[in-house]
Structure formats: C-alpha cells, structure tokens
Amino acid sequence: MDFLVGEKMESSFNDKIIKVGTSFAEDSCGTNAISMAMWLKRDVYLKPKEHYCDFLKGWHCYALPILVDNKIIGYLDLSTIDVKLKKELIAIAILLRDKIVNSFIRRKSSLFDKKGQIELNDVQIKILELMAKGLKRGEIADKLCCSKSNTKYHKSRIFDKLGVNSKVEAVLEGVRRGLISLEEI
C-alpha cells in the first residue's frame, strides 16, 4: 500500500523531524495516539494540545486496535492537521479498520481448509509440480492444454496462498508443507 501524504501534511513532515517511515512507538517519540491505543487497547483520539511530543502538537490523531477473533492483530492511526476533518478522520479510520479486518478474514478463510491446511486445487498442485521441474509458464500452459494467462493466474494464486514471491520460494514452501514431494520432481 502506498503512503499518500497531502501537501499540507507533507510540508509539516518537511518542517519537522518526522520523515515518512518514522516509528511512532512510545519509546521512539513519546506518548502519542497509537501508543495510547496500544496501552489502553481501545480507540484513542488526541487533539493537538494533548500530545506530549512538540512535533505532534499540530496534529489531530485517531488510533484504534485492529481485532480479529477478539485478538489484536495490529493498530491503525490516521492523522490530520485540519480540525475541520476530525469527524471524517474518525469515520475513515473506522471504515479502513473494518475493510482491513474483512479482507484479513476473507483471505484467511480462502487460503485454508477446515483443518487449517493451505488448500491448493488440483490444477495449482500440478502447476507447482511443473514449476518444480523447471518448466516455464508457456511450457506449463502447453502441458496442461490451457492459456498462458490461465497459468499466470494460477501461479499468482499459488504465490498468494503460500505467501511467497518467486517460483523457487513456491517450490520450497510446497515441499515443506507436503503439497508436492521431491520424488515427483
């Protein structure tokens, strides 16, 4: 996900010691909305004057925990320097949190079967086996009598399901999880 910053916020970054990618953990920059949300385990809104850090004194910050199955999996913080956007800030943060949770749950349920095992369909297993043998996308498509785009789609799904970024990683993960065996390769 790209980090987008408005012009006004960007000038605030440039005028201060905060740079894109700065950690907002309490031990890095003092108590702030996200550190308070982590400590209190609930939504926190901080007005500019309530910040302990001088460089955050101009910001309205709303931080909230992201919960899945009643477990906190992370925190979200949205900030603005425009007081008129306070209500929108809170609404966007809540909507964004809900989108993250729903995407997480959808992805989790689509990747795993009922036993918690990663589920690849027969075509995806066959493609993984052929990748392990060193075949390229076109060769796999010919072997399976399907299009290159179909093979590309399945390869992409395999990578997503296994949480990998390359053919080598996919094959290693497939072997590690018992989805394919070295004898078949």
Side-chain angles (χ1 to χ4, degrees):
M1 183 182 300
D2 291 337
F3 183 50
L4 300 176
V5 181
E7 282 181 39
K8 225 174 166 185
M9 186 72 88
E10 190 169 356
S11 70
S12 179
F13 276 137
N14 294 335
D15 295 343
K16 309 293 182 202
I17 61 171
I18 298 175
K19 303 290 180 216
V20 174
T22 299
S23 170
F24 285 91
E26 187 166 18
D27 59 351
S28 298
C29 65
T31 304
N32 56 70
I34 199 150
S35 67
M36 288 183 71
M38 292 170 76
W39 185 64
L40 297 170
K41 297 183 180 358
R42 64 174 175 80
D43 298 11
V44 172
Y45 170 72
L46 283 183
K47 299 173 190 168
K49 65 182 178 184
E50 295 173 334
H51 284 284
Y52 296 95
C53 309
D54 286 338
F55 58 84
L56 293 175
K57 293 250 184 233
W59 294 19
H60 298 265
C61 299
Y62 188 74
L64 57 167
I66 301 172
L67 291 109
V68 174
D69 299 327
N70 291 323
K71 293 180 187 164
I72 297 173
I73 63 165
Y75 292 86
L76 175 65
D77 181 286
L78 264 64
S79 303
T80 183
I81 56 175
D82 189 344
V83 70
K84 292 179 266 179
L85 296 176
K86 176 190 169 194
K87 288 180 183 174
E88 289 83 354
L89 174 79
I90 293 170
I92 291 168
I94 291 168
L95 289 170
L96 188 54
R97 177 194 52 197
D98 292 347
K99 183 173 175 71
I100 291 167
V101 168
N102 290 333
S103 294
F104 182 87
I105 291 169
R106 218 176 18 261
R107 180 174 171 138
K108 184 178 166 188
S109 67
S110 73
L111 296 183
F112 298 95
D113 66 11
K114 303 288 185 255
K115 299 175 198 156
Q117 299 293 315
I118 287 186
E119 195 174 85
L120 296 180
N121 65 34
D122 293 340
V123 172
Q124 292 165 346
I125 295 287
K126 188 65 181 166
I127 289 172
L128 188 58
E129 289 170 352
L130 294 172
M131 286 189 324
K133 292 179 181 180
L135 276 68
K136 293 183 174 29
R137 188 182 337 145
E139 296 168 318
I140 294 171
D142 291 344
K143 195 104 168 147
L144 298 178
C145 300
C146 64
S147 68
K148 286 182 186 179
S149 61
N150 193 349
T151 303
K152 181 179 178 180
Y153 167 79
H154 282 294
K155 214 168 120 181
S156 166
R157 293 294 297 143
I158 292 166
F159 285 18
D160 285 347
K161 289 179 179 184
L162 296 179
V164 299
N165 297 310
S166 72
K167 285 189 343 183
V168 172
E169 288 178 292
V171 169
L172 290 172
E173 191 64 19
V175 170
R176 188 182 79 73
R177 293 178 182 266
L179 299 169
I180 58 174
S181 71
L182 292 175
E183 291 88 38
E184 295 169 8
I185 300 170

